[in-house]
Amino acid sequence: MSAPDPHHPPDHLETLAIHAGQAPDPATGAVMTPIYQTSTYVQQGVGRHLGYDYARTGNPTRTALESCLAALEAAEHGLAFASGMAAIDTLLKLLDPGDHVLAGNDVYGGTFRLFDKQYRKYGIDFSFVEMTDLAAVQAALRPNTRWLWLETPTNPRLKVADVRALARAAHAHHPAVRVVVDNTFATPYLQQPLTLGGDVVVHSTTKYLGGHSDVVGGAVLTNDGPLYERLKFLQNAAGAIPGPMDCFLVLRGLKTLAVRMDRHAENALAVAQFLSDHPQVGEVIYPGLDSHPQYAVARRQMRSGGGMISFYLNGGAAHDLVTRTRLFALAESLGGVESLIEVPAAMTHGSTQGSPLEVDAGLIRISVGLEHKDDLIADLAQALRQI
Ligand SMILES: Cc1ncc(COP(=O)(O)O)c(C=O)c1O
């Protein structure tokens, strides 16, 4: 096996996930990227080395992960971080007092908490808008808006924002506005925000990219060279880096991203259809169902509806249901091979209580895993019978 020809790089995501940044180890021929478990590197003379001098600054396992993630998001530059929140925090450090961030009114609770509880006190202004309403977004942009910050699909209401239309509007407002897309729920297999006009992609690699609920990590991808240089400075200066073992685990997860995402979506569609037909279930929110309010945008922008579903019960309490499933584990997080269930208002989104982003107490969110879809449906059916 030889390294892919750099003059004719493969452009299919399935191939890039397995090969990008991951040529066999020149020292040993190892096919899998070694876990370079070292904190420092020998120098031939002062400042003369093989490209690595200290492991906060750089590590070859991390370089492989950063190159692979950049390739998957059609980005020139990639940086890996210790967690999704570390990636978001490093981005926020780019802002100056007086800057304004216009964010979606449905985002991960931890993202909102960092905006609201930490960066507001540094004089950064945050406001929240319905990202599915283009006119509302245009009206909410301000002269000092630096970023448009959005998730699509959002966590936890699974709203789908039209990245192309939003990027066009944001750049028309001012060319310096940067459109930051948290692509954690969709992954680059379903959509590549940079190809839709976005400027920066952020990920929690803890979720689908790692894919096996065994690692915490984050990443930032961009084609903006100067922005990348500033982030790279901060990655080293502040040091929120992932260890080499964690980088290896994400790299290993990435290799099966495409096949996993296809099965997540196939299972999720079946589960969403089952829930929609169930008399005890109220609204079911899944971007792959034609009842979804932004179904047309989702079809245009995403390869499938993904693996996440949110829903309400007609009868019975959310807290009862989530303790009665046997396969769906009651747990935070998402995107692993195993199915999970949670109540966002009381769990992942507790920090939004009392804010304009507050999540309805009855909303249930499920991450549909890779078990057999019939078993997943049977599990939900038996849990619904008990409440
Ligand atoms: C959409 C989204 N972004 C960011 C994060 C934060 O990632 P991490 O938990 O890896 O810090 C999460 C975590 O759930 C998330 O769902």
Side-chain angles (χ1 to χ4, degrees), residues 82-97:
S83 67
M85 291 318 304
I88 293 170
D89 181 66
T90 307
L91 273 168
L92 287 165
K93 287 189 169 92
L94 297 177
L95 296 170
D96 293 314

Side-chain angles (χ1 to χ4, degrees), residues 5-265:
D5 179 349
H7 301 295
H8 299 282
D11 54 4
H12 291 103
L13 184 137
E14 292 85 341
T15 310
L16 291 169
I18 293 168
H19 293 288
Q22 302 165 79
D25 179 40
T28 62
V31 167
M32 291 301 294
T33 305
I35 301 162
Y36 286 91
Q37 195 73 50
T38 187
S39 62
T40 192
Y41 309 85
V42 70
Q43 307 201 4
Q44 287 73 51
V46 177
R48 276 200 301 118
H49 50 73
L50 301 174
Y52 295 94
D53 57 359
Y54 185 58
R56 171 161 34 75
T57 319
N59 176 290
T61 318
R62 194 170 96 210
T63 305
L65 174 62
E66 292 175 336
S67 305
C68 186
L69 288 171
L72 299 188
E73 285 289 6
E76 274 174 45
H77 310 288
L79 290 167
F81 292 92
S83 67
M85 291 318 304
I88 293 170
D89 181 66
T90 307
L91 273 168
L92 287 165
K93 287 189 169 92
L94 297 177
L95 296 170
D96 293 314
D99 286 345
H100 172 241
V101 175
L102 182 58
N105 63 6
D106 194 39
V107 293
Y108 169 54
T111 304
F112 172 73
R113 183 175 53 196
L114 190 62
F115 288 174
D116 194 52
K117 299 280 183 303
Q118 193 62 23
Y119 279 88
R120 255 194 223 287
K121 76 177 187 194
Y122 297 148
I124 316 275
D125 203 1
F126 295 91
S127 61
F128 299 90
V129 69
E130 178 55 60
M131 284 287 169
T132 63
D133 181 344
L134 186 60
V137 173
Q138 281 168 318
L141 286 161
R142 301 180 188 168
N144 60 336
T145 304
R146 292 274 308 278
W147 292 352
L148 191 68
W149 183 287
L150 60 125
E151 296 176 2
T152 179
T154 63
N155 182 3
R157 294 182 185 88
L158 303 174
K159 297 180 190 181
V160 175
D162 184 338
V163 177
R164 197 184 294 280
L166 288 169
R168 217 176 271 145
H171 295 145
H173 171 76
H174 198 293
V177 176
R178 295 279 169 263
V179 177
V180 185
V181 181
D182 184 331
N183 205 25
T184 298
F185 270 38
T187 83
Y189 182 63
L190 301 198
Q191 74 193 8
Q192 293 172 308
L194 300 183
T195 67
L196 298 169
D199 299 294
V200 179
V201 165
V202 63
H203 274 287
S204 167
T205 58
T206 315
K207 310 298 172 354
Y208 288 109
L209 300 186
H212 296 74
S213 303
D214 53 9
V215 63
V216 173
V220 177
L221 301 315
T222 185
N223 286 316
D224 183 331
L227 187 120
Y228 163 74
E229 290 302 333
R230 290 182 60 210
L231 285 169
K232 191 164 171 51
F233 167 82
L234 283 170
Q235 184 196 42
N236 180 50
I241 50 151
M245 180 70 193
D246 291 349
C247 293
F248 173 84
L249 286 171
V250 179
L251 273 172
R252 189 169 69 163
L254 286 177
K255 290 179 193 293
T256 54
L257 177 68
V259 286
R260 284 189 289 108
M261 290 314 292
D262 280 341
R263 185 60 68 86
H264 279 298

